[in-house]
Amino acid sequence: AEVDDQKQRLLYRQAIEVARRHRAVGWKVNGAGGDGGSLTIACPDEDQASGLRDALTGFDPGWRVVDLHLAPGVAVRLGPDA
């Protein structure tokens, strides 16, 4: 089980590096360890999300990318004054 947890952490770190290269604005590893879990990555616009989606599925074809969008009226503020 410990080996599997180490492999999962390595995959998440590699995916986060892919996200950084595609200028993601943030990410969050979700789950309690063990089998499964997920990684949520936030992109500032659809063009960057599209490139990141392609890069992640090319990185590991077993990954499932689920597109999520903010509800209408939700505002996101980035920067030190947010």
Side-chain angles (χ1 to χ4, degrees), residues 13-63:
R13 278 188 290 232
Q14 292 171 333
I16 289 168
E17 286 304 314
V18 171
R20 283 184 172 136
R21 287 195 300 271
H22 286 270
R23 298 175 37 187
V25 295
W27 45 85
K28 172 77 170 97
V29 176
N30 310 292
D35 291 340
S38 64
L39 176 64
T40 303
I41 302 172
C43 292
D45 61 48
E46 182 56 37
D47 289 337
Q48 287 179 333
S50 177
L52 177 59
R53 184 182 315 108
D54 292 344
L56 286 173
T57 55
F59 172 72
D60 187 329
W63 285 17

